[in-house]
Amino acid sequence: MPLIPEEPQIHESAQGPRATPASGRTAPTPRPVPGPRPAAPSRPGRPGPLRPAPAQRTPRDVAAPKPGPSAPASRAASSNPQIQLIPASAEGALDAAEEAVDLLLESGRAPGDVLVITTGDPHPWAEHELSFGEASYWAQHDARDDVFYTDATKASRVAARPVVVVAVNGGTDAAAATVLPLAHSRAENLLIVCGDPKKINSVLGAGV
């Protein structure tokens, strides 16, 4: 697959956010992690790291059907996904990915349609949920009722979703070289990658 342009045009049907340079972003302010969680295992309503007000985890004014059961993690995407690159530094990649998720939800995407993978440090939500155990964490992945966050060390276990967002927020070159092709195989409709364009194009051009 030839190298992708730094800011490809995405068809309106993908409902993805427009590419917005984020190389000048400052490092994201860590989101607060709440105190002990209630015993209920379900994600909706459970306290977790807070996001800005626009990032409601239910689509606005759109009645989206509840996604069906998870497909096996090894299943390749049914079609070649569109790829959108959002330029960002390693320090700003996670912040750019969060903004991309917010825009997806505001445009009508169901939360369960979105998977976020980091190549470096895990997202604060993933760290918080993993503190309650792997079983609870992966149960939320299988429920598909919210955006799911994981990192390079666990990405091979995730199932395909309509939209996959990758934050190239550090980690080794080997981690990025593993995560990006895997994310491409898990994205059914749209793959959004936030990070250094030269590094991303090099990996995607060779591995996809």
Side-chain angles (χ1 to χ4, degrees):
M1 175 179 172
L3 301 184
I4 60 173
E6 291 191 5
E7 294 184 279
Q9 297 299 315
I10 301 302
H11 194 273
E12 292 181 359
S13 65
Q15 297 187 353
R18 58 185 177 276
T20 304
S23 56
R25 302 176 187 276
T26 57
T29 302
R31 292 170 173 75
V33 175
R37 173 189 65 171
S42 60
R43 165 81 174 133
R46 184 197 313 177
L50 300 178
R51 302 186 183 93
Q56 299 300 318
R57 288 312 178 220
T58 53
R60 297 182 177 179
D61 304 320
V62 176
K66 186 173 181 59
S70 299
S74 60
R75 182 175 69 83
S78 59
S79 61
N80 197 37
Q82 296 180 0
I83 301 174
Q84 180 174 351
L85 171 61
I86 300 179
S89 65
E91 294 77 15
L94 188 56
D95 192 42
E98 279 286 88
E99 290 188 12
V101 171
D102 291 344
L103 288 171
L104 286 165
L105 299 182
E106 289 172 6
S107 69
R109 281 284 182 183
D113 284 353
V114 184
L115 168 68
V116 180
I117 305 174
T118 59
T119 63
D121 292 337
H123 187 278
W125 181 88
E127 291 184 313
H128 175 70
E129 295 303 324
L130 281 166
S131 70
F132 298 102
E134 292 266 349
S136 174
Y137 174 73
W138 288 109
Q140 293 177 75
H141 165 269
D142 296 339
R144 296 175 64 96
D145 56 14
D146 200 359
V147 179
F148 188 78
Y149 296 84
T150 193
D151 60 44
T153 65
K154 298 177 177 61
S156 63
R157 185 171 170 178
V158 298
R161 292 200 182 192
V163 182
V164 177
V165 181
V166 178
V168 185
N169 63 328
T172 64
D173 289 345
T178 299
V179 167
L180 289 174
L182 185 145
H184 184 270
S185 73
R186 299 297 192 266
E188 295 173 332
N189 305 130
L190 176 65
L191 171 63
I192 300 173
V193 187
C194 307
D196 178 67
K198 188 175 297 184
K199 182 175 184 178
I200 294 166
N201 277 308
S202 174
V203 173
L204 285 177
V208 176

